[in-house]
Amino acid sequence: MSIWEFANPARFSRLSGRIIPPAALLTGLCLAIGLIWGFFGTPDDFRQGSTVKIIYIHVPAALMAINAWLMMLVASLIWLIRRHHVSALAARAAAPVGAVMTVIALLTGAIWGQPMWGTWWEWDPRLTSFLVLFVFYLGYIALWEAVAVPDKAAALTADLCMVGSIFALMSRYAVLFWNQGLHQGASLSLDKETNVADVFYQPLLVCIAGFVLLFVTLVLVRTRTEIRARRALALMRQGVR
Amino acid sequence: MMPDLGIHAAYVLSAYAVTLTLLAGLIGLSWLRSNRVRRMLDTLEHGKQGEPYER
C-alpha cells in the first residue's frame, strides 16, 4: 500500500477516525502525567527558583510552534508538487494550532523573562523571530480565509509558507548563530552531552510527548473538519440543499 | 499538596493559567467546529442526521 492512498479524502477520514480516539486518550495521559509531575514533583532550580516549572509548558510549546510550521511546509510542498487536496487541508488545519503554540511560547517566555531577565520583552533574535513567525501564522490563516477559490488559496498559502519557513528555521537556530541576544541556548539538544538535569529532563520529555500528541490529534480532527467543509461547499455549489 | 512557589508564585501560576486556557479554547473551538460542519454535511447529504461522508 502506498502512502499516497491516504491522500484520498474518504480513506484519510476513515483512518483518522480510528486513530483520533486512542491518540486523544494518550494525549490526555501524557499531558496530565507530565504537567503534574513537573509542577508538583520537581524541586526549584537553585538559580531560577520555582520559575523553572515554566519550562514544562514553554519548551514544548516553542518546539511545536516551529515544528507545526515545518509540517505545514512539507504539506504545502506535497500540494505544490502532487496536488493532493488533503495535504493542503492538513496545512490549513495545522495553522491555528501552530499559532496558539506560538502565543503560548511568547506569553510564557515573557512571564518567565520578567523575574529572570527583569523585562517582559527584549528585541532578542529568538524572541523577535518568534514574533515574526506568529505574524506569519496570522497572515497564513487570513490568506486562507480571504481567497474564495480553494485551489488558489492553497497555492498562495503554500508560497507564503515557504517564505515563512525562513523565520521558523531562524527561530530554531537564532541562538546558535546570533549570540548577542538574551535568550539562552537550547534547553534540549540531541547532540549535546548534557541537557537540563535529569530531575527536570524526564517530566519535560513527557510534556513534549503530550504536546506532540496534542498537535497530531488536533490536526487530524481539524483536517477531517476541513475535508467535510470542502465537501459541503461542493454540494452547496451543486445546489443540493 | 500545593508546592511552595515562593516569591515567583504569581508568575508560575499565571503561565500555567494562560497555557491551559489557550489550549482549552483551541480544543473546544476545534471540537465545536467539527460537530457543526459534520451536522451541516449530514443535512446536505441526507436532509437529516444520517451516515457521515466517510463511512
Side-chain angles (χ1 to χ4, degrees):
Chain A
M1 181 182 283
S2 161
I3 189 172
W4 302 115
E5 289 183 35
F6 296 109
N8 176 306
R11 192 185 293 267
F12 176 88
S13 293
R14 273 198 304 274
L15 180 72
S16 59
R18 286 200 294 271
I19 293 173
I20 287 168
L25 188 68
L26 209 54
T27 300
L29 272 176
C30 278
L31 283 178
I33 292 170
L35 292 176
I36 290 170
W37 185 2
F39 189 86
F40 293 99
T42 58
D44 290 355
D45 180 67
F46 77 99
R47 198 175 293 158
Q48 300 179 45
S50 63
T51 62
V52 73
K53 294 181 192 298
I54 295 175
I55 65 165
Y56 305 115
I57 44 181
H58 176 74
V59 172
L63 200 71
M64 290 318 299
I66 298 169
N67 289 337
W69 193 275
L70 297 182
M71 173 258 156
M72 288 160 55
L73 173 66
V74 172
S76 298
L77 288 173
I78 291 172
W79 161 259
L80 287 174
I81 295 165
R82 299 194 64 139
R83 296 281 158 181
H84 286 312
H85 290 276
V86 172
S87 66
L89 295 178
R92 181 182 188 176
V97 186
V100 169
M101 294 294 176
T102 312
V103 173
I104 291 173
L106 285 168
L107 290 178
T108 56
I111 292 169
W112 181 88
Q114 172 59 22
M116 291 299 108
W117 293 342
T119 179
W120 297 99
W121 181 261
E122 179 71 32
W123 293 102
D124 160 284
R126 177 168 272 193
L127 274 63
T128 307
S129 56
F130 244 88
L131 184 63
V132 175
L133 179 64
F134 177 61
V135 174
F136 265 95
Y137 269 119
L138 294 183
Y140 182 92
I141 294 165
L143 192 54
W144 263 110
E145 296 296 327
V147 181
V149 182
D151 285 3
K152 192 173 181 183
L156 289 172
T157 51
D159 292 341
L160 180 65
C161 188
M162 284 192 286
V163 177
S165 298
I166 295 165
F167 289 93
L169 290 173
M170 202 183 284
S171 305
R172 171 70 183 82
Y173 294 108
V175 287
L176 299 181
F177 61 77
W178 222 339
N179 58 6
Q180 71 268 40
L182 261 181
H183 200 287
Q184 66 273 38
S187 302
L188 294 175
S189 178
L190 293 175
D191 56 0
K192 273 165 57 177
E193 283 187 11
T194 56
N195 283 299
V196 293
D198 277 355
V199 67
F200 306 120
Y201 184 67
Q202 289 156 354
L204 179 56
L205 283 185
V206 181
C207 286
I208 289 172
F211 271 72
V212 171
L213 284 165
L214 177 66
F215 175 75
V216 170
T217 307
L218 282 174
V219 170
L220 287 176
V221 169
R222 296 178 66 90
T223 305
R224 275 162 66 90
T225 304
E226 294 300 335
I227 290 170
R228 285 173 174 146
R230 181 71 66 89
R231 177 156 171 80
L233 184 67
L235 288 174
M236 281 191 276
R237 283 181 176 166
Q238 286 170 13
V240 180
R241 285 195 72 96
Chain B
M1 190 63 188
M2 184 74 178
D4 178 17
L5 299 173
I7 56 169
H8 301 312
Y11 295 107
V12 178
L13 292 176
S14 59
Y16 274 80
V18 162
T19 302
L20 294 178
T21 304
L22 285 170
L23 289 182
L26 177 66
I27 293 166
L29 287 176
S30 302
W31 189 258
L32 284 175
R33 180 157 188 266
S34 169
N35 285 340
R36 196 173 61 237
V37 171
R38 188 172 58 204
R39 277 197 304 273
M40 182 175 70
L41 182 58
D42 285 348
T43 307
L44 284 168
E45 286 185 326
H46 306 286
K48 57 183 173 58
Q49 295 292 321
E51 285 294 300
Y53 162 60
E54 63 272 9
R55 280 188 196 154

